[in-house]
Amino acid sequence: MKELVEIRGAKAVTTSIKVAKYFGKEHDLVLKEISELDCTDKFKSDNFVRTKEYYTMTKDGFTFLVMGYKGKKASRFKEEYIKAFNLMEALAINKQTAEYRQARIEEKAVSKKQMDNLKNSCVGIKPFQYMKANTIADKAVSLKFGYPKMIKKNDMTSDMLKERGVILEQTTSLMIAKNLGVNIESISD
């Protein structure tokens, strides 16, 4: 969906032309669908800007429009939207539990320990390598839990945080081994 979105100012937007192309629709039909949306005038004016040839729309305008679409691409969009909504809901509920607070404490301890291991075991380690280890762990956990986009540590559930600690430990161990000259490509399960 990257081909749909562009940044203008500080806002992510798309156009009716891009929507038509992405969803395989005639542009005139998309223009008509936007003009006939059953939303308030305020919502329309806040989220759709008409030029002579096309509409520019915000994320909210795009979401409102596409939720009425059918087909494989629209279904995938809706599934991803629902998945993101469910993650936000689970996180909101989860952050209120003692289990989550404990998982955060444990994850912070593991993270500190692993960053100290990197610092003490690797010659000439650079600051970006700490970020690299954390990014790898975040991406791996996100994928393991079915999220194609990276979920940041602060947005993870307690189960995700527990898994993140394990993956971070494995990642830093491999980074240390590589720094010590071990051929990590020959290491197998």
Side-chain angles (χ1 to χ4, degrees):
M1 256 206 238
K2 290 179 182 176
E3 62 272 20
L4 272 170
V5 181
E6 63 183 85
I7 303 298
R8 290 190 189 168
K11 282 199 173 244
V13 297
T14 192
T15 67
S16 54
I17 295 169
K18 290 180 180 182
V19 170
K21 184 177 179 183
Y22 184 82
F23 289 101
K25 293 177 166 259
E26 293 293 323
H27 185 241
D28 287 342
L29 178 60
V30 174
L31 292 174
K32 183 177 183 228
E33 290 169 340
I34 293 169
S35 68
E36 294 176 354
L37 285 174
D38 191 15
C39 59
T40 64
D41 290 339
K42 175 153 178 40
F43 183 87
K44 195 175 271 187
S45 67
D46 287 348
N47 295 289
F48 296 92
V49 176
R50 175 75 195 230
T51 67
K52 195 182 259 189
E53 299 164 9
Y54 62 90
Y55 279 98
T56 298
M57 65 193 88
T58 65
K59 173 183 58 88
D60 291 346
F62 168 78
T63 302
F64 195 91
L65 174 67
V66 172
M67 283 299 181
Y69 285 4
K70 292 182 170 113
K72 287 183 181 183
K73 285 186 177 182
S75 293
R76 277 194 301 261
F77 168 78
K78 292 172 191 178
E79 286 177 13
E80 290 303 316
Y81 190 88
I82 290 166
K83 191 183 281 188
F85 193 95
N86 288 341
L87 176 63
M88 290 171 54
E89 181 181 52
L91 184 61
I93 292 167
N94 193 36
K95 281 188 170 182
Q96 298 171 17
T97 65
E99 178 188 9
Y100 176 80
R101 288 188 293 276
Q102 184 62 35
R104 284 286 291 162
I105 290 167
E106 291 171 7
E107 192 285 326
K108 283 180 183 182
V110 168
S111 188
K112 180 173 179 2
K113 178 183 175 192
Q114 294 311 312
M115 295 306 105
D116 287 346
N117 284 346
L118 275 178
K119 181 181 176 183
N120 297 328
S121 302
C122 294
V123 177
I125 190 159
K126 306 283 187 226
F128 79 89
Q129 290 169 301
Y130 299 113
M131 290 184 287
K132 184 177 181 179
N134 281 292
T135 300
I136 290 169
D138 291 347
K139 284 183 180 179
V141 169
S142 300
L143 289 172
K144 183 169 185 172
F145 281 81
Y147 298 98
K149 293 187 178 180
M150 184 177 78
I151 307 295
K152 294 183 180 179
K153 179 171 64 173
N154 291 338
D155 295 331
M156 291 183 181
T157 64
S158 53
D159 289 341
M160 294 170 88
L161 288 171
K162 290 173 188 172
E163 188 63 30
R164 185 184 188 281
V166 172
I167 292 172
L168 184 61
E169 190 170 349
Q170 294 167 345
T171 301
T172 55
S173 294
L174 287 172
M175 291 174 78
I176 291 166
K178 185 175 180 184
N179 185 267
L180 295 173
V182 175
N183 181 3
I184 60 173
E185 292 176 11
S186 65
I187 296 175
S188 63
D189 298 32

